Amino acid sequence: MNAKELKTLFEQVRGGKISPDDAVQKLRHMPFEDLGFAKVDHHRSLRVGMPEVIFGPGKRPAHLAEIFARLAERGNNVLATRVAEDQVRAVRKKLRKAEHNDVARTLVLRQKSEKTGKGTVAIVCAGTSDVPVAEEAAVTAELMGNEISRIYDVGVAGIHRLLAHKSELSEARVLIVCAGMEGALPSVVGGLVGVPVIAVPTSVGYGASFGGLTALLGMMNSCASNVTVVNIDNGFGAAYVASMINRL
Amino acid sequence: MNAKELKTLFEQVRGGKISPDDAVQKLRHMPFEDLGFAKVDHHRSLRVGMPEVIFGPGKRPAHLAEIFARLAERGNNVLATRVAEDQVRAVRKKLRKAEHNDVARTLVLRQKSEKTGKGTVAIVCAGTSDVPVAEEAAVTAELMGNEISRIYDVGVAGIHRLLAHKSELSEARVLIVCAGMEGALPSVVGGLVGVPVIAVPTSVGYGASFGGLTALLGMMNSCASNVTVVNIDNGFGAAYVASMINRL
Amino acid sequence: MNAKELKTLFEQVRGGKISPDDAVQKLRHMPFEDLGFAKVDHHRSLRVGMPEVIFGPGKRPAHLAEIFARLAERGNNVLATRVAEDQVRAVRKKLRKAEHNDVARTLVLRQKSEKTGKGTVAIVCAGTSDVPVAEEAAVTAELMGNEISRIYDVGVAGIHRLLAHKSELSEARVLIVCAGMEGALPSVVGGLVGVPVIAVPTSVGYGASFGGLTALLGMMNSCASNVTVVNIDNGFGAAYVASMINRL
Amino acid sequence: MNAKELKTLFEQVRGGKISPDDAVQKLRHMPFEDLGFAKVDHHRSLRVGMPEVIFGPGKRPAHLAEIFARLAERGNNVLATRVAEDQVRAVRKKLRKAEHNDVARTLVLRQKSEKTGKGTVAIVCAGTSDVPVAEEAAVTAELMGNEISRIYDVGVAGIHRLLAHKSELSEARVLIVCAGMEGALPSVVGGLVGVPVIAVPTSVGYGASFGGLTALLGMMNSCASNVTVVNIDNGFGAAYVASMINRL
Amino acid sequence: MNAKELKTLFEQVRGGKISPDDAVQKLRHMPFEDLGFAKVDHHRSLRVGMPEVIFGPGKRPAHLAEIFARLAERGNNVLATRVAEDQVRAVRKKLRKAEHNDVARTLVLRQKSEKTGKGTVAIVCAGTSDVPVAEEAAVTAELMGNEISRIYDVGVAGIHRLLAHKSELSEARVLIVCAGMEGALPSVVGGLVGVPVIAVPTSVGYGASFGGLTALLGMMNSCASNVTVVNIDNGFGAAYVASMINRL
Amino acid sequence: MNAKELKTLFEQVRGGKISPDDAVQKLRHMPFEDLGFAKVDHHRSLRVGMPEVIFGPGKRPAHLAEIFARLAERGNNVLATRVAEDQVRAVRKKLRKAEHNDVARTLVLRQKSEKTGKGTVAIVCAGTSDVPVAEEAAVTAELMGNEISRIYDVGVAGIHRLLAHKSELSEARVLIVCAGMEGALPSVVGGLVGVPVIAVPTSVGYGASFGGLTALLGMMNSCASNVTVVNIDNGFGAAYVASMINRL
Amino acid sequence: MNAKELKTLFEQVRGGKISPDDAVQKLRHMPFEDLGFAKVDHHRSLRVGMPEVIFGPGKRPAHLAEIFARLAERGNNVLATRVAEDQVRAVRKKLRKAEHNDVARTLVLRQKSEKTGKGTVAIVCAGTSDVPVAEEAAVTAELMGNEISRIYDVGVAGIHRLLAHKSELSEARVLIVCAGMEGALPSVVGGLVGVPVIAVPTSVGYGASFGGLTALLGMMNSCASNVTVVNIDNGFGAAYVASMINRL
Amino acid sequence: MNAKELKTLFEQVRGGKISPDDAVQKLRHMPFEDLGFAKVDHHRSLRVGMPEVIFGPGKRPAHLAEIFARLAERGNNVLATRVAEDQVRAVRKKLRKAEHNDVARTLVLRQKSEKTGKGTVAIVCAGTSDVPVAEEAAVTAELMGNEISRIYDVGVAGIHRLLAHKSELSEARVLIVCAGMEGALPSVVGGLVGVPVIAVPTSVGYGASFGGLTALLGMMNSCASNVTVVNIDNGFGAAYVASMINRL
């Protein structure tokens, strides 16, 4: 059941074709079914009209594959992030069509394809080491129905490389900017555009970068007011919010 | 010069009425004029179509008043945040019509009034101590052309108070959620709506709240994927991004 | 010697059947016997009427097995936590009946079974990744004589899943709530019940979760006043305190 | 409406004297009334059968006095913590009988007096500087219907002073232990008793005590398993949980 | 005794006009004389050929004035930093010609004036709030014999304002870059020039800027390799090193 | 294209041999060429007249080798830092002449050899465990055209060992000082010389050394004013800045 | 009762002049008497043969004066540290002979004077700002019966000033070394002597000195093995331990 | 050359048997000889009269063995700490008599045996997991000529186990107390004895113990004034200082 079907349900209620009580019952019994080890929440998908997402780390391959398959039965797109090799194998034994992107560390089952985003989501990253995070964002944003553009390896110490992409930056309706080390890129990009910038600190760096904490703090203190921040290496989360914004 | 005038300039260039070189010159000389102690950047306003904002703390009253007045001459709305009493007096000696909100600690000069936001921005806060931050967001969002709705004092330890506002939450096109202490409210709100949530950690709390750091970290780790975070107590920044989103 | 026997001793003293001095001697010589590498303290068990517990990490399999066996001779229940595979094998070579729970990472020898808890201890966790910690708590609480109820995978971003369990929550006499990431669940649960909530931050999360520190700080700052906190991933400690409370 | 009245309501429902729907309505409309600046939640009091508590810091004297008075009208006990002089004056202008304890920094209006606690709550503190936090706990615990015993100035560097109180410690049904600096007292006390110990880190200390963080971390790592921890200086919270436990 | 005189001494030794032993004695007895409360070290001045500097905070006005005067007697330039009003008055009562700069919070006695720097030291700052730190650097660098150029209020969120100064940046022989908040400016400047950049984190910012720690960490992780960092707000130290470099 | 060629270009422009527009075109098209996975920026080399440097960690051997080879074609010196064994093999399969230094963990291709440094760069380290960082600095500084001198194993707890090298220290035009643990060496060295000292905190130490953070903080707070700091273990960065200074 | 009297007591027991039981009673009733607000522990003095010490901060003047007077009655030396002006006045109203040292912030009542230390305690400090901490140590060490020598203002950036005192350093039987900022002095001093060095980090510094934390961490990581550390600014504690050592 | 020989040298100078200059030369040329990779400093041994110590981690087995052998030639005792298996083998191939203690992770070559300590050094530890650190201290202290007594597994949660050892504690001339987790043991021990206590935080613990940081901070804040602290797990350093004290 997706957002459309839900709306249909409400219209049936409004039109008197189904009683409110029955509607409540229908909704109440629908949300989750028990797999024994985890409650699969179809509600979330329903509420935001997006594919259910499975966070890979710590899940046993067999469990992950079972959750993946159960969700796939509903006909929605399914996305698993940060997947390991053995998880990939377990899922693909069940679902041949699941696509693995080894840079982004994602596993995608595409069952629907609808462009719900109204504009382009630009995905920008500072260095080549930030690419895996940027690609997680790219795969996610694309699966969620967005046109995307990639602008990679444009760190602030070579400001002209970034400025060479100014028109692409300006054309985006929302931007995702991934950077490690000092995390300065979102501030510069934020100053160049008039739309929301979602900053993703990456764990790239060494010494006093503290696994991305320095970048995170830098981004929280951005002098550009159109910057908001998600968790370290959270390319998925950035793409999720960007998708929500791009549908508005 | 606002975004419209800028577009006009570009169309004149395209139409051959003005040479590119002259256009470049016009733009180059326009952006900032030197007040001696600070460069007032009209460009920013131009790029994002929003009023220029002055951050009060640390500025001498006379300087703040001069910057405020200079910006006011352009005919735009002007907003000063975190203003102290003596700054307020200095500005209002020059500009009688500047409105002071002592809860939000803002000073506003309204010279234009246009609803540019397409939907409602809901401003939610956890406790009464979070109200100043929420009000800074409310004043800002309203000045930037948004309908706003306030949902205050709905902390997670009394979850039914929050749920009683579920329909207002659902009607918002973008939400700003302010919370101190453990900073849990954005996660719960994020799970209730299908639109972007901008979380503002506040410095409310004591002991191990560390001036808002605990709330900030909690929000960065939100289990709701539609949550992004701005700096501690940064009600202004949250409203700024919310306004950008609400115009899309 | 357990709490009952101790009480008997004191009654013999009161009844004049044994002199206070002899009683003192008896107690003084009883407490610990030297195994060479560790002093096994039967006193603690005696004082709180609970099984002795062995913390596995860092102990050599042979030593752990010897301590385990020595304690078992007394006839009490014995619990080892965070046990590794080689430790399990070493113990079970000596004690066939020791039960291994590989999710909870516990090893249990049940020699007595008495329900000392007066009500139910509810064990709640936010996500599937928190289950190992929750299970450590469940195994411990059960061994310590409590009825338990498990309410798993009810994170705050899907608040209705939690509310669907409201009656189970209300029936508990004491609750253990395990959560990683932002650690918000205890605050919400705390607001729903009128009994003590013991919060266990877990090391689940990534990026700025800092191995559970973010959850710990969040729980320390809980806006629900009936929440107290134990160490990160300390399911055992939570169950220990819950058992003490449930006997009162 | 207190817990008893609520139970009556449910019994009326069970007895068929009132329909469930009406009961729901009654409950739904009862919980909070709008004072304009804060929602007073009578629900919380109802759920846990304790007086409503007002956290003083940051509240304007007039607002605090109004909230205080509104709550007083219901006939419950009312407690304000961390009150400043001007807040005290504002409240006492309205409510003469409110008692101010300047060590505990509390303001209490006692309208009911019922011993709901089954045993004694012992309140222990390490040094004389910890007394304000201990007293906040003492005032709170007493108002919540507990017998209390005070054991003050028994820091671990003079272990015999603590041991001299061993019988009082053993008689308590639950203990609150306040300590700053290295925060070691709860571990020692925890080892001496067989009941729950609620540890309160205090901000007492200097240098590397970091406002209580060192004590907090020490208590989280207590080697005594019957210790749980509340926030720094949170005497109120400790007493609140202790009261809940003491009623069981 | 300055560097020249010292060199003369060595040449006298080489020329046999003074025995090494006598030279050693001369040097040994020269370095510091006892004022009772502090040892004034003329050696340092001698070693690096720069004026002695007095750090104001924590020094009693009378003591500071006495140290200042004692140093002045030698004929060198004297600089006091972070001076408070009462310290300024105390010094100027003794030394009328000491110049006070209230933005830079410096007190300068100029007794020699020699351009020892070979090129220009550019002093760059991100926002108007960073000006006091930048001015401390400017006053210091000038007193130490350098041409300076000021490039203020050129934060990275308005990158074109910075780029408008590209030629001034390129002309500098060494640059000092002051920035608070995310501290990104040194990285961008470092990428634009081929000479050393000394980064000064400032305590400007709020929330998660932690008094300059965020800027400091950002600068330590700069992706531009020609950036080194000094302590928070340490405009003096930056100018000191810049002066050393500019003499080479 | 190196700095000289660039200067030639500008002189051609000044001399009218090439039009400014063509010069701009020439520069614009030169900077980076797309390898698919990373933009190789020849500009940086050009701007500072130094070899391009490749940071090894995280790069796949094949990619690293391709970048290395592409840069080598230009005829410049090439340096890869923190290289792993498999990266070394991949590069040397293509470029036999690349020299591997396994202490410094560097890979160097020397195609030009020109002494551009005017004096000596002294590289000082505290203990034998700091040698790898010091050697990274030494290899880098030498490749960048500097005379270097090594003063190793002269920690502050044996101050006479350091003082025995006083003349070598004094002869350096710029110094790089590497130290872990308490990071005190730069302060002592800084007090002995009158030239810039670049401090490199190393991750050497244990316990409360926190991977170099303690050394970093100590160096930031150095009481010697001629000390600036680079990131933990950043021998390369220190040598880079030292080279820039030594050319002035 | 001091250590001698205690020994007498034990000898009386051994000699049969007093029964063990009576001795126990005598000891049991002696240790502390209740002043209402604090338990004065004469035991501690007895155990270590040193004057009782009162830590001033947070104590009300009247209370402090009463504790001070009560202790004075026993005939021992009394020391109050970190005393404020109003505390000084309150004590001296009762005890004229109490001496106030306003640099050390101590109040001393000298009733006995016995040199119990066998050698000299050298007190060393890095800068003039560290003097108050050093003086607290000096006053304490002297009152506890030690010869002391002061070696002040010998920071590591001017190593020759320190080395000029080498013989005084070598003559000490134990050293106390106070330093703020990078806290390097104890390492250097530790390397120069063959006796114990007690390091006292001071809160002197700014920026990234974090109120003495940087110095503390540096000292914990000292490369000199004869260094131990006490809390930030804890001159008293350092002198206390030094006195214990000097009596051995 | 040891301390005695050194004294002899000085006496020869005093007696006119050797000129001061020759003595200086003798000393100057003696201190270290170059092994190529590290300067072996015999001076340190000489200054404090203790064996040279080699810190194992990070040293290649062959190098460590060579340093070990070189030192052994002088006839002193030699100690290597934190040695790994391969280092042990490398050393023992050269020096059969070197003794390996696998709990303490030490390697000892005993060539002299002289009791230089005047009393007993008690080594106390809280739990069995702290034993390796305690044993490192024990091996070191014994090698340095002290009688030692071991009091292990006496954590504060079982205070009676500690008190059972009170007489052993009282007989020590100096104590080393090792504890992880909350690090409370030194405070309790410090209160029981009148001699110096050297606290060693261990990295034992989990969750919020942060590798020993919590214990370290707790010990720094000890309420017992006779406690000083060394680095985390630094059993060697504690024994080194204890030995120095015990010789006084």
Side-chain angles (χ1 to χ4, degrees), chain H residues 75-95:
Chain H
N76 287 319
N77 290 336
V78 184
L79 167 65
T81 62
R82 313 282 170 91
V83 287
E85 281 303 316
D86 53 354
Q87 293 173 327
V88 171
R89 278 192 301 272
V91 171
R92 297 187 60 171
K93 221 181 292 177
K94 294 193 170 211
L95 295 153

Side-chain angles (χ1 to χ4, degrees), chain D residues 157 163 182 184 187 191 208-209 218 221 223, chain H residues 157 163 182 184 187 191 208-209 218 221 223:
Chain D
L163 295 177
E182 78 271 62
S187 293
S209 72
N221 284 282
C223 52
Chain H
L163 295 177
E182 77 271 61
S187 293
S209 72
N221 285 280
C223 51

Side-chain angles (χ1 to χ4, degrees), chain A residues 1-6 30-31 40-53 71 74-77 112 240 244 247, chain B residues 191 194:
Chain A
M1 178 177 255
N2 58 21
K4 266 190 207 161
E5 295 174 71
L6 186 63
M30 190 265 308
V40 178
D41 186 359
H42 304 304
H43 250 188
R44 190 187 305 190
S45 143
L46 169 162
R47 280 197 305 273
V48 303
M50 287 179 179
E52 181 69 25
V53 179
L71 290 163
R74 305 271 163 170
N76 286 318
N77 291 335
K112 288 177 174 177
Y240 191 95
M244 279 193 167
R247 280 169 203 208

Side-chain angles (χ1 to χ4, degrees), chain B residues 155-160 163 166 181-184 187-192 205-210 214 217-224, chain C residues 155-160 163 166 181-184 187-192 205-210 214 217-224:
Chain B
V156 299
I159 199 75
H160 296 295
L163 296 177
K166 209 181 152 184
M181 303 175 83
E182 79 269 62
S187 292
V188 179
V189 171
L192 292 171
Y206 59 99
S209 73
F210 300 124
T214 292
L217 292 175
M219 291 170 177
M220 293 305 309
N221 285 282
S222 175
C223 52
Chain C
V156 299
I159 200 74
H160 296 295
L163 296 178
K166 209 180 151 183
M181 302 174 84
E182 78 270 62
S187 293
V188 179
V189 171
L192 292 172
Y206 60 99
S209 72
F210 300 124
T214 292
L217 291 175
M219 290 168 177
M220 294 303 311
N221 285 281
S222 175
C223 52

Side-chain angles (χ1 to χ4, degrees), chain D residues 48 57 97-98 132 180 186 233:
Chain D
V48 303
K97 300 199 314 188
D233 290 336

